[in-house]
Amino acid sequence: MHIPNALISLLPLGLLAVAVRLPAPSGPYNVGFTQHIFNHSTPNDPTPGPGTSYLTSIFYPTRSSLAPNTSVPYFDPTSAAIWGEVFNILPADLESLETTLQWQAPLLSAKDDVERVKDRPTLVFSPGGGMNAAYFTSLLSDLASQGYTVLALDHPGEAPYLPLPYGNPGVVGWDIYMPYSDALIVEIYQFRRADMLHLLGPSGFPALVETYGAYFNTEAYGAFGHSIGGATATGAMDRNRNIIAGFNIDGGLFGDSVNASMHGRPYFMTMNPNHLAQDADSWPAFATRYYNESKTAPGWLDWTTVEGSAHLAFSDVALWVELLPQIPNTTAQVDLGNVTGTRMDSLLKSYAGAFWEFVRGGEYDGKLLDGEVEEWPEVVFNARVRSNGTQGY
Ligand SMILES: *[C@@H]1O[C@H](CO)[C@@H](O)[C@H](O)[C@H]1NC(C)=O
Ligand SMILES: *[C@@H]1O[C@H](CO)[C@@H](O)[C@H](O)[C@H]1NC(C)=O
Ligand SMILES: *[C@@H]1O[C@H](CO)[C@@H](O)[C@H](O)[C@H]1NC(C)=O
Ligand SMILES: *[C@@H]1O[C@H](CO)[C@@H](O)[C@H](O)[C@H]1NC(C)=O
Ligand SMILES: *[C@@H]1O[C@H](CO)[C@@H](O)[C@H](O)[C@H]1NC(C)=O
Ligand SMILES: *[C@@H]1O[C@H](CO)[C@@H](O)[C@H](O)[C@H]1NC(C)=O
Ligand SMILES: *[C@@H]1O[C@H](CO)[C@@H](O)[C@H](O)[C@H]1NC(C)=O
């Protein structure tokens, strides 16, 4: 290939990383993206962060087409250096990841577009412990492309580094290798739950929406999260009945989320095959209690295992490892099981998509939600609760 000299001089020496794009979102819309810093105090914040705010990233459907000058970068250089070292990926390669997100792209304006999306629950997401919400961009973008508004939370100081928008300095957090004690995990759960409840409360997202006069739904929410984010979503559901359903991605229940009452709200849980080795009690107890409650009230619960997966395979990390080269003669220091990032990515998008479609009152994909299917043989069902009593636990 002949590259004109003028172009060669533009390439940083030794950093010939070719842009790699995440799998394209599957829905009919393109994806807009913005961020907002909410003031909210965390008394005695255990993290090195200031404890005065949290960051919300907002993914939403748009008809605007992706242009290079509006695409939001995936990694900032500081985070790329930190995470690259952990997974033996060159920071330049991590920085080469491209999203399909468009910074502050116009909202939908056509009347039928707005009609199609405005009554969907707004989905609120909490990432895995120590991880930035950005590392779930693929799933979050996909849901936005289906028509959902998705709010993803970051608590400054928890992740090793959190870049902040609008010229604010990024926040350096806990060291990436710092072990979490059981007591600290409960504290993390508590400040995250408080952040999520604030976001859904009157001075959070609803106030922001009112300021901008946007059509986003501030009446009905769905909560979901990975790892400790699953507990966050569940604990928030216990306290806020505007959350109409929950989706727990491989997250043990901590603190008082172990006793959260769902009042029959749909709840989907999916885990890696070793989940119960680390968390023997919280999921079986939760499912049993849910089943008990559903005998006298409505109820809908799915509990699945993804055979062959591991905890971080339920995040974009599995995509980084699959799509980007390893530093020569190293292997990724991460257990992803025997699954690949791209398959896990489309698996999770399929099940989360089917679940939220059912929750919003769209089509019920009984094929996917009611049991094993040929297309996804690695997804096995451990329990199902249905209020009409036709399928037991
Ligand atoms: C948050 O607080 C800072 C200063 O304490 C203030 O400048 C900023 O406007 C506040 N942000 C919002 C969204 O209220
Ligand atoms: C992006 O590029 C397009 C042309 O490709 C131009 O019309 C538009 O103004 C640019 N937007 C920004 C934010 O620079
Ligand atoms: C959960 O409920 C049980 C039974 O009421 C109680 O013993 C336990 O202390 C509760 N756990 C938490 C963390 O609130
Ligand atoms: C479920 O109900 C059974 C009997 O109705 C009871 O023995 C058991 O303690 C209950 N379990 C939970 C977790 O609520
Ligand atoms: C992947 O691991 C699961 C067990 O976790 C096993 O059932 C499956 O056969 C494995 N698949 C391959 C292709 O090795
Ligand atoms: C990688 O390992 C191979 C075989 O052990 C060796 O020949 C090669 O020089 C190594 N490359 C680097 C970059 O260390
Ligand atoms: C019970 O609910 C399931 C799932 O919602 C549905 O597939 C099934 O047809 C229902 N059965 C009856 C008898 O209503």
Side-chain angles (χ1 to χ4, degrees):
M1 189 178 77
H2 177 75
I3 303 176
N5 283 336
L7 252 182
I8 287 174
S9 65
L10 293 176
L11 298 172
L13 279 179
L15 297 178
L16 292 167
V18 177
V20 174
R21 185 150 283 175
L22 297 175
S26 61
Y29 300 104
N30 295 321
V31 186
F33 181 80
T34 187
Q35 293 184 307
H36 190 80
I37 299 169
F38 287 94
N39 289 337
H40 174 248
S41 145
T42 302
N44 309 314
D45 191 331
T47 76
T52 54
S53 67
Y54 61 86
L55 174 67
T56 299
S57 299
I58 307 176
F59 302 69
Y60 56 91
T62 181
R63 285 291 185 192
S64 169
S65 316
L66 190 65
N69 59 358
T70 54
S71 159
V72 176
Y74 189 103
F75 260 108
D76 63 277
T78 308
S79 301
I82 294 168
W83 292 87
E85 195 219 293
V86 177
F87 299 120
N88 285 323
I89 299 172
L90 284 174
D93 285 322
L94 285 174
E95 285 184 67
S96 75
L97 280 174
E98 284 185 348
T99 70
T100 50
L101 303 175
Q102 301 173 54
W103 179 251
Q104 298 190 338
L107 304 185
L108 299 175
S109 55
K111 196 160 170 285
D112 51 343
D113 274 343
V114 174
E115 285 304 313
R116 236 176 275 134
V117 305
K118 73 176 181 33
D119 294 327
R120 290 171 191 247
T122 293
L123 306 181
V124 53
F125 178 80
S126 183
M131 294 177 77
N132 298 24
Y135 308 156
F136 297 83
T137 291
S138 188
L139 175 62
L140 306 181
S141 303
D142 198 73
L143 290 165
S145 81
Q146 302 290 346
Y148 297 94
T149 305
V150 183
L151 314 177
L153 286 159
D154 282 295
H155 186 90
E158 187 193 312
Y161 184 74
L162 178 68
L164 291 176
Y166 313 119
N168 292 286
V171 178
V172 176
W174 280 319
D175 186 87
I176 196 162
Y177 295 111
M178 188 191 79
Y180 292 174
S181 67
D182 289 352
L184 190 59
I185 290 176
V186 173
E187 285 189 73
I188 296 171
Y189 157 71
Q190 286 168 343
F191 68 64
R192 282 176 172 231
R193 187 194 66 209
D195 289 350
M196 188 178 277
L197 290 170
H198 180 270
L199 178 66
L200 306 192
S203 46
F205 184 63
L208 185 70
V209 170
E210 198 175 340
T211 305
Y212 290 99
Y215 51 74
F216 298 141
N217 190 341
T218 59
E219 307 289 322
Y221 296 94
F224 66 134
H226 174 246
S227 196
I228 197 166
T232 306
T234 307
M237 285 178 79
D238 190 43
R239 289 163 172 80
N240 186 326
R241 295 288 282 273
N242 291 336
I243 304 174
I244 61 173
F247 192 92
N248 186 342
I249 305 168
D250 209 21
L253 300 172
F254 303 101
D256 64 13
S257 73
V258 297
N259 287 334
S261 285
M262 295 294 103
H263 298 286
R265 286 170 288 178
Y267 193 88
F268 189 102
M269 43 216 278
T270 185
M271 67 179 189
N272 84 78
N274 292 318
H275 178 105
L276 296 179
Q278 278 114 46
D279 170 35
D281 300 327
S282 82
W283 281 32
F286 181 88
T288 306
R289 208 157 39 78
Y290 194 105
Y291 177 60
N292 269 11
E293 285 178 10
S294 76
K295 287 180 195 162
T296 53
W300 191 103
L301 176 137
D302 269 357
W303 175 1
T304 65
T305 297
V306 181
E307 294 295 347
S309 70
H311 192 55
L312 282 179
F314 294 84
S315 73
D316 288 353
V317 170
L319 289 172
W320 311 345
V321 169
E322 179 182 341
L323 300 179
L324 301 174
Q326 292 295 133
I327 293 175
N329 292 359
T330 67
T331 51
Q333 301 297 307
V334 56
D335 179 12
L336 296 172
N338 64 12
V339 298
T340 64
T342 43
R343 183 155 177 94
M344 279 301 285
D345 181 69
S346 47
L347 183 158
L348 211 48
K349 288 171 175 174
S350 300
Y351 283 85
F355 177 75
W356 292 119
E357 176 68 12
F358 146 59
V359 166
R360 80 167 185 95
E363 195 180 326
Y364 182 80
D365 189 345
K367 189 168 149 293
L368 223 51
L369 296 176
D370 286 346
E372 282 88 10
V373 294
E374 217 172 284
E375 193 186 352
W376 303 107
E378 62 270 63
V379 178
V380 299
F381 281 68
N382 308 302
R384 248 185 331 250
V385 174
R386 299 290 185 270
S387 51
N388 64 16
T390 57
Q391 293 158 325
Y393 162 52

